Amino acid sequence: MKNNLSKILNIFIAVIAVIGAFLFINIFMTDEGDTAALSGSVGSIVTFSTILLYFAIGATLLLSLFSLFTNPENLKKTLLGVAALGVVLVFAYFLADSNAVLDTQGKVLVGGEAGASSNQWVGTGIWYSVCLGLVASLFFVYDLVKGLIKS
């Protein structure tokens, strides 16, 4: 079964490579003066690449979820990690403010009025990064001290 799956995947990869090579060569064979044809040939390879990207994202998500649900121990660890990140996000949300955003002349920017939710979420993102950086630094120092004590 594993050998057959390997052959099928190799054929699938070869087909994708041939299609990609054909689309790439099609761009070079298009006359540079004909912008509509050039735009069409470039658009086709961009569409193909976008489809491949979506396929890769979908396959990654499906296989990750399948792996999580088949191994309950990893699912517990993942949910605990997601819960910890959620707690840090809530903490960062309450640290952030929604004050007005001013430009260099002291005028309020468009969309940056006091109380705007975008101000609150931008501040949350900044504080979230700071909090995660602090936690990472603490773990780094802890691991460093633990390593020094062991040796």
Side-chain angles (χ1 to χ4, degrees):
M1 175 68 179
K2 217 173 208 182
N3 195 19
N4 289 339
L5 182 61
S6 177
K7 287 180 183 178
I8 292 170
L9 286 175
N10 283 339
I11 292 170
F12 182 67
I13 291 169
V15 168
I16 289 174
V18 167
I19 293 171
F22 173 75
L23 292 173
F24 189 69
I25 291 169
N26 190 26
I27 292 172
F28 287 108
M29 294 182 70
T30 306
D31 182 28
E32 290 181 21
D34 190 3
T35 57
L38 187 61
S39 175
S41 61
V42 170
S44 62
I45 198 167
V46 168
T47 302
F48 181 68
S49 301
T50 305
I51 290 169
L52 286 179
L53 175 68
Y54 290 151
F55 179 75
I57 290 170
T60 302
L61 288 175
L62 285 175
L63 291 174
S64 296
L65 289 174
F66 177 73
S67 174
L68 276 176
F69 289 124
T70 56
N71 190 349
E73 189 63 33
N74 281 349
L75 181 61
K76 290 177 191 175
K77 289 178 186 177
T78 302
L79 290 177
L80 183 66
V82 169
L85 287 173
V87 168
V88 173
L89 181 66
V90 169
F91 180 70
Y93 185 81
F94 287 116
L95 284 177
D97 61 13
S98 59
N99 294 340
V101 179
L102 306 175
D103 62 6
T104 54
Q105 285 100 23
K107 296 179 184 174
V108 176
L109 293 175
V110 177
E113 297 84 14
S117 66
S118 60
N119 295 356
Q120 182 77 28
W121 281 109
V122 168
T124 299
I126 293 169
W127 277 107
Y128 190 65
S129 299
V130 169
C131 292
L132 290 179
L134 288 174
V135 169
S137 299
L138 289 174
F139 276 116
F140 177 76
V141 170
Y142 170 75
D143 190 48
L144 182 68
V145 170
K146 188 172 86 172
L148 289 174
I149 292 173
K150 264 188 173 180
S151 60

